[in-house]
Coordinates of all heavy atoms in Angstrom, one line a residue:
M1 N 0.8 -1.2 0.0 CA 0.0 0.0 0.0 C 0.9 1.2 0.0 O 2.1 1.2 0.1 CB -0.9 0.0 1.2 CG -1.9 -1.2 1.3 SD -3.0 -1.1 -0.1 CE -3.7 -2.7 0.0
G2 N 0.3 2.4 0.0 CA 1.0 3.7 0.0 C 1.8 3.8 1.3 O 1.5 3.3 2.3
N3 N 2.9 4.6 1.2 CA 3.7 4.8 2.3 C 3.1 5.8 3.2 O 2.2 6.5 2.9 CB 5.2 5.1 2.0 CG 5.4 6.4 1.2 OD1 4.7 7.4 1.5 ND2 6.3 6.4 0.3
K4 N 3.7 6.0 4.4 CA 3.1 6.9 5.4 C 3.3 8.4 5.1 O 2.8 9.2 5.7 CB 3.7 6.6 6.8 CG 3.3 5.1 7.2 CD 1.8 4.9 7.2 CE 1.5 3.5 7.6 NZ 0.2 3.0 7.1
N5 N 4.2 8.7 4.1 CA 4.5 10.0 3.7 C 3.6 10.5 2.7 O 3.7 11.6 2.1 CB 5.9 10.2 3.3 CG 6.9 9.9 4.4 OD1 6.7 10.2 5.5 ND2 8.0 9.3 4.0
D6 N 2.6 9.7 2.3 CA 1.6 10.1 1.2 C 2.2 10.3 -0.1 O 1.7 10.9 -1.0 CB 0.8 11.3 1.6 CG 0.1 11.1 2.9 OD1 -0.3 10.0 3.3 OD2 -0.2 12.1 3.6
D7 N 3.5 9.8 -0.3 CA 4.1 9.9 -1.6 C 3.8 8.7 -2.5 O 4.0 7.5 -2.0 CB 5.6 10.0 -1.4 CG 6.1 11.3 -0.7 OD1 5.3 12.3 -0.9 OD2 7.1 11.2 0.0
I8 N 3.3 8.9 -3.6 CA 3.0 7.8 -4.6 C 4.0 8.1 -5.8 O 3.9 9.1 -6.4 CB 1.5 7.9 -5.1 CG1 0.6 7.7 -3.9 CG2 1.3 6.8 -6.1 CD1 -0.8 8.0 -4.2
A9 N 4.8 7.1 -6.0 CA 5.7 7.2 -7.1 C 5.0 7.5 -8.4 O 4.0 6.9 -8.7 CB 6.6 5.9 -7.2
A10 N 5.6 8.4 -9.2 CA 5.0 8.8 -10.5 C 4.8 7.6 -11.5 O 4.0 7.6 -12.3 CB 5.8 9.9 -11.1
D11 N 5.7 6.6 -11.3 CA 5.6 5.5 -12.3 C 4.9 4.2 -11.7 O 4.8 3.2 -12.3 CB 7.0 5.0 -12.7 CG 7.9 4.6 -11.6 OD1 7.5 4.8 -10.4 OD2 9.0 4.1 -11.8
R12 N 4.3 4.4 -10.5 CA 3.6 3.3 -9.9 C 2.2 3.2 -10.4 O 1.5 4.1 -10.5 CB 3.6 3.5 -8.4 CG 2.9 2.4 -7.6 CD 3.1 2.5 -6.1 NE 2.3 1.5 -5.5 CZ 1.9 1.5 -4.2 NH1 2.3 2.5 -3.5 NH2 1.2 0.5 -3.7
V13 N 1.8 1.9 -10.7 CA 0.4 1.7 -11.1 C -0.3 1.0 -9.9 O 0.1 0.1 -9.4 CB 0.4 0.7 -12.3 CG1 -1.1 0.4 -12.7 CG2 1.2 1.2 -13.5
L14 N -1.5 1.7 -9.6 CA -2.2 1.3 -8.4 C -3.5 0.5 -8.8 O -4.0 0.7 -9.8 CB -2.7 2.5 -7.6 CG -1.6 3.4 -7.0 CD1 -2.2 4.6 -6.4 CD2 -0.7 2.6 -6.0
S15 N -3.9 -0.4 -7.9 CA -5.2 -1.1 -8.1 C -6.2 -0.2 -7.5 O -5.9 0.7 -6.7 CB -5.2 -2.4 -7.4 OG -5.1 -2.3 -6.0
V16 N -7.5 -0.5 -7.8 CA -8.6 0.3 -7.2 C -8.5 0.2 -5.7 O -8.7 1.1 -4.9 CB -10.0 -0.2 -7.7 CG1 -11.1 0.4 -6.9 CG2 -10.1 0.1 -9.2
E17 N -8.2 -1.0 -5.2 CA -8.2 -1.2 -3.7 C -7.1 -0.4 -3.1 O -7.3 0.2 -2.0 CB -8.0 -2.7 -3.4 CG -9.1 -3.6 -3.8 CD -9.2 -3.9 -5.3 OE1 -8.2 -3.8 -6.0 OE2 -10.3 -4.4 -5.7
E18 N -5.9 -0.4 -3.7 CA -4.8 0.4 -3.2 C -5.1 1.9 -3.2 O -4.9 2.6 -2.2 CB -3.5 0.2 -4.0 CG -2.9 -1.2 -3.8 CD -1.8 -1.4 -4.7 OE1 -1.9 -1.1 -5.9 OE2 -0.7 -1.9 -4.3
G19 N -5.6 2.4 -4.3 CA -6.0 3.8 -4.4 C -7.0 4.2 -3.4 O -7.0 5.3 -2.8
T20 N -8.0 3.4 -3.2 CA -9.1 3.6 -2.2 C -8.6 3.7 -0.8 O -8.9 4.6 0.0 CB -10.2 2.6 -2.3 OG1 -10.8 2.6 -3.7 CG2 -11.3 2.8 -1.3
E21 N -7.7 2.7 -0.5 CA -7.1 2.7 0.9 C -6.3 3.9 1.1 O -6.4 4.6 2.2 CB -6.3 1.4 1.0 CG -5.7 1.3 2.5 CD -4.4 2.0 2.7 OE1 -3.6 2.2 1.8 OE2 -4.2 2.5 3.9
I22 N -5.5 4.3 0.2 CA -4.6 5.5 0.3 C -5.5 6.8 0.5 O -5.3 7.6 1.4 CB -3.7 5.7 -0.9 CG1 -2.6 4.6 -0.9 CG2 -3.0 7.0 -0.9 CD1 -1.8 4.5 -2.1
K23 N -6.5 6.9 -0.4 CA -7.4 8.1 -0.3 C -8.1 8.1 1.0 O -8.2 9.2 1.6 CB -8.4 8.0 -1.5 CG -9.3 9.2 -1.5 CD -10.3 9.0 -2.7 CE -11.3 10.1 -2.7 NZ -12.4 9.9 -3.6
E24 N -8.7 7.0 1.5 CA -9.4 7.0 2.8 C -8.5 7.4 4.0 O -8.8 8.1 4.9 CB -10.1 5.7 3.0 CG -11.3 5.5 2.1 CD -11.9 4.1 2.2 OE1 -11.3 3.2 2.8 OE2 -13.0 4.0 1.6
R25 N -7.3 6.8 3.9 CA -6.3 7.1 5.0 C -5.9 8.5 5.0 O -5.9 9.2 6.1 CB -5.1 6.2 4.8 CG -4.0 6.4 5.9 CD -2.9 5.4 5.8 NE -2.4 5.2 4.5 CZ -1.6 6.0 3.8 NH1 -1.1 7.1 4.4 NH2 -1.1 5.7 2.6
I26 N -5.6 9.1 3.9 CA -5.2 10.5 3.8 C -6.4 11.4 4.2 O -6.2 12.4 5.0 CB -4.7 10.9 2.4 CG1 -3.4 10.1 2.1 CG2 -4.5 12.4 2.3 CD1 -2.9 10.3 0.7
A27 N -7.6 11.1 3.7 CA -8.7 12.0 4.1 C -9.0 11.9 5.5 O -9.4 13.0 6.1 CB -10.0 11.5 3.3
A28 N -8.8 10.8 6.2 CA -9.1 10.7 7.6 C -8.0 11.5 8.4 O -8.3 12.0 9.5 CB -9.0 9.3 8.1
Q29 N -6.8 11.7 7.9 CA -5.8 12.4 8.6 C -5.8 13.9 8.4 O -5.2 14.7 9.1 CB -4.4 11.9 8.2 CG -4.2 10.5 8.5 CD -2.9 9.9 7.8 OE1 -2.3 10.6 7.0 NE2 -2.5 8.7 8.1
R30 N -6.5 14.4 7.4 CA -6.4 15.8 7.0 C -7.8 16.4 7.0 O -8.8 15.8 6.5 CB -5.9 15.9 5.5 CG -4.6 15.1 5.3 CD -3.4 16.0 5.5 NE -2.2 15.4 5.0 CZ -1.3 14.8 5.6 NH1 -1.4 14.6 6.9 NH2 -0.2 14.3 5.1
S31 N -7.9 17.6 7.4 CA -9.2 18.3 7.4 C -9.2 19.3 6.2 O -10.3 19.8 5.8 CB -9.5 19.0 8.7 OG -8.4 20.0 9.0
L32 N -8.1 19.7 5.7 CA -8.0 20.7 4.6 C -8.0 20.0 3.3 O -7.1 19.2 3.0 CB -6.7 21.6 4.8 CG -6.5 22.6 3.8 CD1 -7.6 23.7 3.9 CD2 -5.1 23.3 4.0
K33 N -8.9 20.4 2.4 CA -8.9 19.8 1.1 C -7.8 20.4 0.2 O -7.6 21.7 0.3 CB -10.3 20.0 0.4 CG -11.4 19.2 1.1 CD -12.7 19.5 0.4 CE -13.0 18.7 -0.8 NZ -14.3 18.8 -1.3
R34 N -7.2 19.6 -0.6 CA -6.2 20.1 -1.5 C -6.0 19.1 -2.6 O -6.4 18.0 -2.5 CB -4.9 20.4 -0.8 CG -4.1 19.3 -0.3 CD -2.8 19.7 0.3 NE -2.1 18.5 0.9 CZ -1.2 17.9 0.3 NH1 -0.7 18.2 -0.9 NH2 -0.6 16.8 0.8
W35 N -5.4 19.5 -3.7 CA -5.1 18.6 -4.8 C -4.0 17.6 -4.4 O -3.0 18.0 -3.8 CB -4.6 19.3 -6.0 CG -5.8 20.0 -6.8 CD1 -6.1 21.3 -6.7 CD2 -6.7 19.4 -7.6 NE1 -7.2 21.5 -7.5 CE2 -7.6 20.3 -8.1 CE3 -6.9 18.0 -8.0 CZ2 -8.7 20.1 -8.9 CZ3 -8.0 17.8 -8.8 CH2 -8.8 18.8 -9.3
R36 N -4.2 16.3 -4.7 CA -3.3 15.3 -4.3 C -3.0 14.4 -5.5 O -4.0 14.0 -6.2 CB -3.8 14.5 -3.1 CG -4.1 15.3 -1.9 CD -4.8 14.4 -0.9 NE -5.5 15.2 0.1 CZ -4.9 15.9 1.1 NH1 -3.6 15.8 1.3 NH2 -5.6 16.6 2.0
W37 N -1.8 14.0 -5.7 CA -1.4 13.0 -6.7 C -1.9 11.7 -6.2 O -1.6 11.3 -5.1 CB 0.1 13.0 -6.9 CG 0.6 11.8 -7.6 CD1 1.4 10.9 -7.1 CD2 0.4 11.5 -9.0 NE1 1.7 9.9 -8.0 CE2 1.1 10.3 -9.2 CE3 -0.3 12.1 -10.0 CZ2 1.1 9.7 -10.5 CZ3 -0.3 11.5 -11.2 CH2 0.4 10.3 -11.5
M38 N -2.7 11.0 -7.0 CA -3.2 9.7 -6.6 C -2.7 8.5 -7.4 O -3.3 7.4 -7.4 CB -4.8 9.8 -6.7 CG -5.4 10.6 -5.6 SD -5.0 10.0 -3.9 CE -5.8 8.4 -4.0
G39 N -1.7 8.7 -8.2 CA -1.0 7.6 -8.9 C -1.6 7.3 -10.2 O -2.4 8.0 -10.7
N40 N -1.1 6.2 -10.8 CA -1.5 5.8 -12.1 C -2.5 4.6 -12.0 O -2.3 3.8 -11.1 CB -0.3 5.3 -12.9 CG 0.6 6.5 -13.3 OD1 0.2 7.4 -14.0 ND2 1.8 6.4 -12.8
Y41 N -3.4 4.5 -12.9 CA -4.3 3.4 -13.0 C -4.3 2.7 -14.4 O -3.9 3.4 -15.3 CB -5.7 3.8 -12.6 CG -5.7 4.3 -11.1 CD1 -5.4 5.6 -10.8 CD2 -5.9 3.4 -10.1 CE1 -5.4 6.1 -9.5 CE2 -5.8 3.8 -8.8 CZ -5.6 5.2 -8.5 OH -5.5 5.6 -7.2
G42 N -4.7 1.5 -14.5 CA -4.7 0.8 -15.7 C -5.7 1.3 -16.7 O -5.5 1.1 -17.9
D43 N -6.8 1.9 -16.3 CA -7.8 2.4 -17.2 C -8.7 3.4 -16.5 O -8.6 3.5 -15.3 CB -8.7 1.3 -17.8 CG -9.5 0.5 -16.8 OD1 -10.3 1.1 -16.1 OD2 -9.3 -0.7 -16.7
P44 N -9.4 4.2 -17.2 CA -10.2 5.3 -16.6 C -11.3 4.8 -15.6 O -11.6 5.5 -14.7 CB -10.9 6.0 -17.8 CG -10.1 5.6 -19.0 CD -9.5 4.3 -18.7
T45 N -11.8 3.6 -15.8 CA -12.8 3.1 -14.9 C -12.2 2.8 -13.5 O -12.9 3.0 -12.5 CB -13.6 1.9 -15.4 OG1 -12.6 0.8 -15.7 CG2 -14.3 2.2 -16.7
Q46 N -11.0 2.4 -13.5 CA -10.3 2.2 -12.2 C -10.1 3.5 -11.4 O -10.4 3.6 -10.3 CB -9.0 1.5 -12.4 CG -9.1 0.0 -12.8 CD -7.8 -0.6 -13.0 OE1 -6.8 0.1 -13.2 NE2 -7.8 -1.9 -13.1
A47 N -9.6 4.5 -12.2 CA -9.4 5.8 -11.6 C -10.7 6.4 -11.1 O -10.8 7.0 -10.0 CB -8.7 6.8 -12.6
A48 N -11.8 6.3 -11.9 CA -13.1 6.8 -11.5 C -13.6 6.0 -10.2 O -14.3 6.7 -9.4 CB -14.1 6.6 -12.6
A49 N -13.4 4.7 -10.1 CA -13.8 4.0 -9.0 C -13.2 4.5 -7.7 O -13.8 4.6 -6.6 CB -13.5 2.5 -9.1
V50 N -11.9 4.9 -7.8 CA -11.2 5.4 -6.6 C -11.8 6.8 -6.3 O -12.0 7.2 -5.1 CB -9.7 5.5 -6.9 CG1 -9.0 6.3 -5.7 CG2 -9.1 4.1 -7.0
A51 N -12.0 7.6 -7.3 CA -12.5 9.0 -7.1 C -13.9 8.9 -6.4 O -14.2 9.8 -5.6 CB -12.6 9.7 -8.4
N52 N -14.7 7.9 -6.7 CA -16.0 7.8 -6.2 C -16.1 7.0 -4.8 O -17.2 6.9 -4.2 CB -17.0 7.1 -7.2 CG -17.2 8.1 -8.3 OD1 -17.4 9.3 -8.2 ND2 -17.3 7.5 -9.5
S53 N -15.0 6.5 -4.4 CA -15.0 5.6 -3.2 C -14.6 6.5 -2.0 O -14.1 7.6 -2.1 CB -14.0 4.5 -3.3 OG -12.7 5.0 -3.4
G54 N -15.0 5.9 -0.8 CA -14.6 6.5 0.5 C -15.2 7.9 0.6 O -16.4 8.1 0.6
V55 N -14.4 8.9 0.5 CA -14.8 10.3 0.5 C -14.9 10.7 -1.0 O -13.9 10.9 -1.6 CB -13.8 11.2 1.2 CG1 -14.2 12.7 1.1 CG2 -13.5 10.8 2.6
P56 N -16.1 10.7 -1.6 CA -16.2 10.9 -3.0 C -15.8 12.3 -3.4 O -16.0 13.3 -2.7 CB -17.7 10.7 -3.3 CG -18.4 10.3 -2.1 CD -17.4 10.4 -0.9
C57 N -15.1 12.3 -4.6 CA -14.8 13.6 -5.2 C -16.0 14.1 -5.9 O -16.7 13.4 -6.5 CB -13.6 13.4 -6.1 SG -12.1 12.9 -5.4
L58 N -16.2 15.4 -5.8 CA -17.4 16.1 -6.4 C -17.0 16.6 -7.8 O -15.8 16.4 -8.2 CB -17.9 17.2 -5.6 CG -18.3 16.8 -4.1 CD1 -18.6 18.1 -3.3 CD2 -19.4 15.8 -4.1
A59 N -17.9 17.1 -8.5 CA -17.6 17.7 -9.9 C -16.5 18.7 -9.8 O -16.4 19.5 -9.0 CB -18.9 18.4 -10.4
G60 N -15.5 18.5 -10.7 CA -14.4 19.4 -10.8 C -13.3 19.0 -9.8 O -12.3 19.7 -9.8
E61 N -13.4 18.0 -9.1 CA -12.4 17.6 -8.1 C -11.5 16.4 -8.5 O -10.8 15.8 -7.7 CB -13.1 17.3 -6.7 CG -13.7 18.5 -6.1 CD -14.3 18.2 -4.8 OE1 -14.6 17.1 -4.4 OE2 -14.5 19.2 -4.0
V62 N -11.6 16.1 -9.8 CA -10.8 15.0 -10.3 C -10.2 15.4 -11.7 O -10.9 16.0 -12.5 CB -11.7 13.7 -10.5 CG1 -10.8 12.6 -11.1 CG2 -12.3 13.3 -9.3
M63 N -8.9 15.1 -11.9 CA -8.3 15.3 -13.1 C -7.6 14.0 -13.5 O -6.8 13.4 -12.7 CB -7.2 16.4 -13.1 CG -7.8 17.7 -12.9 SD -6.6 19.1 -13.1 CE -5.2 18.6 -12.1
F64 N -7.9 13.5 -14.7 CA -7.3 12.3 -15.3 C -6.5 12.7 -16.5 O -6.9 13.6 -17.2 CB -8.3 11.2 -15.7 CG -9.2 10.7 -14.6 CD1 -10.5 10.4 -14.9 CD2 -8.7 10.5 -13.4 CE1 -11.3 9.8 -14.0 CE2 -9.5 10.0 -12.4 CZ -10.8 9.7 -12.7
G65 N -5.4 12.1 -16.7 CA -4.6 12.3 -18.0 C -4.5 10.9 -18.6 O -4.9 9.9 -18.1
F66 N -3.9 10.9 -19.8 CA -3.6 9.6 -20.5 C -2.2 9.6 -20.9 O -1.7 10.6 -21.6 CB -4.6 9.4 -21.7 CG -6.0 9.3 -21.3 CD1 -6.8 10.4 -21.2 CD2 -6.5 8.1 -20.9 CE1 -8.2 10.3 -20.8 CE2 -7.8 7.9 -20.5 CZ -8.6 9.1 -20.4
N67 N -1.5 8.6 -20.5 CA 0.0 8.5 -20.7 C 0.2 7.1 -21.2 O 0.6 6.2 -20.4 CB 0.7 8.8 -19.5 CG 2.2 8.8 -19.7 OD1 2.7 8.8 -20.8 ND2 3.0 8.9 -18.6
G68 N 0.1 6.9 -22.5 CA 0.2 5.5 -23.0 C -0.9 4.6 -22.5 O -2.0 4.9 -22.7
N69 N -0.5 3.6 -21.8 CA -1.4 2.7 -21.2 C -1.8 3.0 -19.8 O -2.5 2.2 -19.1 CB -0.9 1.2 -21.3 CG -0.7 0.7 -22.7 OD1 -1.5 1.1 -23.6 ND2 0.2 -0.1 -22.9
L70 N -1.4 4.2 -19.3 CA -1.7 4.6 -17.9 C -2.6 5.7 -17.9 O -2.7 6.6 -18.8 CB -0.4 4.9 -17.2 CG 0.7 3.8 -17.1 CD1 1.9 4.3 -16.4 CD2 0.1 2.6 -16.3
V71 N -3.3 5.8 -16.8 CA -4.2 6.9 -16.5 C -3.8 7.6 -15.2 O -4.2 7.2 -14.1 CB -5.7 6.5 -16.4 CG1 -6.6 7.6 -16.1 CG2 -6.1 5.7 -17.7
P72 N -2.9 8.6 -15.3 CA -2.5 9.4 -14.1 C -3.7 10.2 -13.5 O -4.5 10.7 -14.3 CB -1.4 10.3 -14.5 CG -1.5 10.3 -16.0 CD -2.3 9.1 -16.5
A73 N -3.8 10.2 -12.2 CA -5.0 10.9 -11.6 C -4.6 11.8 -10.4 O -3.7 11.5 -9.7 CB -5.9 9.8 -11.0
W74 N -5.2 12.9 -10.4 CA -5.1 13.9 -9.3 C -6.5 14.1 -8.8 O -7.5 14.2 -9.5 CB -4.6 15.3 -9.8 CG -3.2 15.2 -10.2 CD1 -2.1 15.5 -9.5 CD2 -2.7 14.8 -11.5 NE1 -1.0 15.3 -10.3 CE2 -1.3 14.9 -11.5 CE3 -3.3 14.3 -12.7 CZ2 -0.5 14.6 -12.6 CZ3 -2.6 14.0 -13.8 CH2 -1.2 14.1 -13.7
M75 N -6.6 14.2 -7.4 CA -8.0 14.3 -6.8 C -7.9 15.4 -5.7 O -6.9 15.5 -5.0 CB -8.4 13.0 -6.2 CG -8.6 11.9 -7.3 SD -9.1 10.3 -6.6 CE -8.7 9.3 -8.0
F76 N -9.0 16.1 -5.6 CA -9.1 17.2 -4.6 C -10.0 16.7 -3.5 O -11.2 16.5 -3.6 CB -9.8 18.4 -5.3 CG -9.8 19.7 -4.5 CD1 -8.6 20.4 -4.3 CD2 -10.9 20.1 -3.8 CE1 -8.6 21.6 -3.5 CE2 -10.9 21.2 -3.0 CZ -9.8 22.0 -2.9
Y77 N -9.3 16.4 -2.4 CA -10.1 16.0 -1.2 C -9.3 16.3 0.0 O -8.2 16.6 0.0 CB -10.4 14.5 -1.3 CG -9.2 13.6 -1.3 CD1 -8.8 13.0 -0.1 CD2 -8.5 13.3 -2.4 CE1 -7.7 12.2 0.0 CE2 -7.4 12.5 -2.4 CZ -7.0 11.9 -1.2 OH -5.9 11.1 -1.1

């Protein structure tokens, strides 16, 4: 899972379960919303599943990119 410093390596590909766990852990520790790097996913549906899990991101609080076979994600929570 993610390390305790909330750093997700730029080249790391996360599963939905890993992304959800990291997001929930960080959200529980922080009260201030800000943009956070949430790693790479194998496809847009995996990234969307993480964005909608735990503390759901609202409209405008998710950014996905496409980098070859990866979907890098940033979420505001």
Side-chain angles (χ1 to χ4, degrees):
M1 299 295 163
N3 66 35
K4 300 305 178 199
N5 295 327
D6 303 331
D7 294 330
I8 301 170
D11 60 350
R12 182 172 173 197
V13 179
L14 300 174
S15 68
V16 172
E17 293 79 16
E18 289 173 313
T20 298
E21 185 276 328
I22 291 168
K23 183 179 175 192
E24 288 175 349
R25 180 175 42 81
I26 293 171
Q29 296 171 354
R30 311 267 196 257
S31 61
L32 180 64
K33 290 176 87 171
R34 66 179 179 98
W35 283 103
R36 300 173 199 281
W37 165 246
M38 287 301 297
N40 293 297
Y41 296 89
D43 63 60
T45 59
Q46 291 178 340
V50 173
N52 290 321
S53 68
V55 180
C57 293
L58 303 175
E61 293 183 339
V62 179
M63 289 191 311
F64 299 145
F66 294 94
N67 184 9
N69 293 331
L70 298 178
V71 179
W74 293 263
M75 299 179 195
F76 188 77
Y77 66 95

